[in-house]
């Protein structure tokens, strides 16, 4: 049976207040900014799924190839009763490969901020794996959250695919890896997907697809602010911009105001100069050595690393040191 731990109404109100406060703080800062986690309402999750199938977006198919080829080695030996906890589970496509490689897993705990999408995906997964306990948690993994009581005390393996860790600033990645160590407990393991530095043309194309899906994904955050916070962003007056910043080893995504304009957000007026940008996402690209060092600083030992032949993407099997 699927049990989604959903926020009671008071927590939904808190999430709304936090969203409002973050948006106002970000749009009154200079340069203007919005947190990447706010991309993921139901429409944002659907758009991300479309991105994963784009010819230019190599990370998903490359990581899937690694998981298909090395899934059994990545999962390793499992103690009886082991539960797999996935951070930012999205469509659950990747975990299906691991579930097939490790059929003895007792439970699966997908954690995602996109509550509606999570509920639908967890139900689909439960239908396809009737003997697995699917216990989903709708939560923001940058804050405190509890694992379902059914898996407390069980051996846990964490799974954080997709290079979502790259969407954190380096200090946030450190804090996240330390928090994950506490959540998963001593002697746990953590499987982390990490995108690698490569030819800038490949990187830039992956975030500037010809079909314009990444642009729609980026602009969707303005649609969400209009709907949920009573704003009046004109989507035609903003353009998607994405580029590799080699000095900081990250793709940056921005929304650029095409004109001088004023936008109303929750009864405040937010002015934009022509050409001014809102910084909406970073996607850090690591070297294998750099990520191992980040993991080590946060208390994780690299047990094994798996890559594709071109070394576009990597899957790190970490253990607690
Ligand atoms: N794991 C999938 C999806 C990656 S997209 C894959 O590899 O393809 C990033 C996922 O993380 C989305 O499903 C998004 O809703 C979720 N996410 C992003 N920020 C989050 C946060 N702060 N807390 C919880 N989930 C988050
Ligand atoms: C989820 N995350 C790792 C994606 C990335 O590549 O940084 C989100 C994304 N942004 C634009 N395209 C995909």
């Amino acid at each position: 049976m699927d049990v989604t731990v959903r926020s009671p109404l008071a927590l939904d109100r808190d999430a709304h207040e936090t969203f409002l406060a973050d948006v106002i703080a970000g749009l009154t800062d200079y340069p203007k900014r919005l947190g990447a986690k706010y991309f993921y309402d139901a429409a944002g999750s659907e758009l991300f799924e479309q991105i994963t199938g784009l010819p230019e977006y190599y990370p998903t198919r490359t990581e899937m190839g690694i998981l298909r080829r090395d899934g059994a080695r990545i999962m390793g030996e499992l103690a009886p009763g082991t539960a797999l906890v996935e951070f930012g589970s999205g469509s659950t496509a990747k975990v299906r490969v691991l579930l097939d490689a490790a059929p003895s897993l007792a439970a699966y705990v997908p954690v995602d901020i996109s509550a509606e999408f999570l509920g639908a995906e967890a139900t689909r997964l439960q239908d396809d794996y009737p003997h697995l306990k699917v216990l989903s948690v709708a939560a923001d993994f940058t804050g405190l959250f509890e694992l379902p009581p059914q898996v407390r005390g069980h051996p846990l393996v964490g799974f954080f695919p997709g290079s979502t860790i790259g969407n954190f600033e380096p200090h946030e990645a450190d804090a996240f890896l330390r928090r994950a160590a506490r959540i998963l407990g001593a002697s746990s393991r953590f499987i982390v997907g990490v995108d690698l530095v490569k030819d800038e043309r490949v990187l830039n194309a992956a975030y500037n697809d010809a079909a314009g899906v990444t642009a729609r994904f980026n602009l969707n955050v303005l649609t969400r602010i209009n709907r949920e916070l009573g704003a009046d962003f004109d989507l035609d007056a903003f353009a998607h911009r994405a580029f590799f910043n080699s000095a900081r080893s990250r793709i940056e995504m921005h929304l650029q105001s095409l004109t001088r304009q004023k936008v109303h957000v929750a009864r405040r007026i937010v002015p934009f100069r022509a050409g001014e940008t809102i910084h909406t996402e970073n996607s850090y690209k690591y070297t294998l050595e750099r990520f191992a060092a980040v993991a080590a600083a946060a208390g994780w030992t690299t047990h094994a690393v798996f890559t594709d032949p071109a070394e576009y993407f990597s899957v790190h099997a970490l253990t607690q040191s």
Side-chain angles (χ1 to χ4, degrees):
M1 196 190 51
D2 165 45
V3 183
T4 301
V5 181
R6 293 191 61 113
S7 316
L9 272 181
L11 289 182
D12 283 349
R13 261 202 311 276
D14 283 354
H16 178 85
E17 291 304 316
T18 306
F19 182 37
L20 175 62
D22 283 352
V23 167
I24 297 299
L27 293 182
T28 52
D29 203 357
Y30 188 79
K32 291 180 169 63
R33 58 181 166 80
L34 290 168
K37 67 184 177 188
Y38 292 123
F39 283 135
Y40 300 96
D41 61 357
S45 293
E46 292 290 353
L47 283 165
F48 179 75
E49 280 319 299
Q50 286 182 38
I51 288 174
T52 65
L54 292 169
E56 297 93 336
Y57 196 73
Y58 63 86
T60 307
R61 64 171 176 275
T62 311
E63 188 178 27
M64 276 291 233
I66 297 169
L67 297 176
R68 283 202 190 97
R69 191 194 61 203
D70 292 319
R73 287 168 64 208
I74 290 169
M75 289 305 285
E77 293 281 306
L78 294 177
T82 298
L84 186 69
V85 179
E86 182 173 1
F87 298 85
S89 46
S91 74
T92 71
K94 289 173 186 166
V95 82
R96 288 166 183 263
V97 181
L98 294 187
L99 294 173
D100 295 342
S104 70
L105 274 166
Y108 169 57
V109 181
V111 180
D112 207 289
I113 201 167
S114 190
E116 199 182 321
F117 195 78
L118 169 68
E121 292 302 325
T123 302
R124 247 169 21 98
L125 188 91
Q126 183 67 88
D127 290 347
D128 295 342
Y129 293 82
H131 301 297
L132 184 74
K133 249 189 231 145
V134 179
L135 306 157
S136 53
V137 177
D140 179 345
F141 54 52
T142 61
L144 292 175
F145 70 93
E146 302 248 310
L147 290 178
Q150 296 94 318
V151 300
R152 279 184 218 141
H154 283 242
L156 299 177
V157 177
F159 183 40
F160 194 30
S163 206
T164 304
I165 197 152
N167 297 134
F168 289 137
E169 288 300 321
H171 73 277
E172 293 169 336
D174 177 74
F176 174 82
L177 287 167
R178 288 171 194 270
R179 202 175 322 111
R182 280 201 305 279
I183 291 170
L184 297 171
S187 75
S188 59
R189 289 192 280 132
F190 201 12
I191 300 161
V192 185
V194 181
D195 198 11
L196 300 174
V197 179
K198 59 185 63 63
D199 186 327
E200 289 193 18
R201 286 165 300 188
V202 176
L203 289 168
N204 283 321
Y207 293 83
N208 289 285
D209 60 286
V213 183
T214 311
R216 290 205 287 285
F217 174 71
N218 199 1
L219 284 160
N220 178 59
V221 73
L222 301 185
T223 308
R224 181 175 182 194
I225 293 171
N226 281 350
R227 188 184 62 246
E228 294 185 26
L229 302 180
D232 60 359
F233 278 101
D234 171 4
L235 269 65
D236 293 331
F238 287 86
H240 166 73
R241 303 279 180 245
F243 55 87
F244 186 59
N245 176 340
S246 58
R248 306 194 70 171
S249 198
R250 68 189 193 195
I251 286 280
E252 295 185 11
M253 288 214 312
H254 300 260
L255 289 166
Q256 185 171 42
S257 177
L258 296 175
T259 59
R260 183 161 175 247
Q261 57 180 316
K262 287 189 171 127
V263 177
H264 298 87
V265 182
R267 294 195 296 279
R268 288 164 183 83
I269 294 173
V270 180
F272 284 87
R273 287 179 287 104
E276 189 175 356
T277 56
I278 312 173
H279 190 171
T280 50
E281 187 182 60
N282 288 318
S283 193
Y284 280 85
K285 309 302 170 188
Y286 287 87
T287 60
L288 296 177
E289 298 73 26
R290 176 83 198 113
F291 187 74
V294 168
W300 292 96
T301 301
T302 300
H303 170 69
V305 181
F306 303 85
T307 63
D308 55 299
E311 297 207 344
Y312 269 24
F313 203 91
S314 56
V315 174
H316 299 244
L318 309 176
T319 55
Q320 285 210 41
S321 36

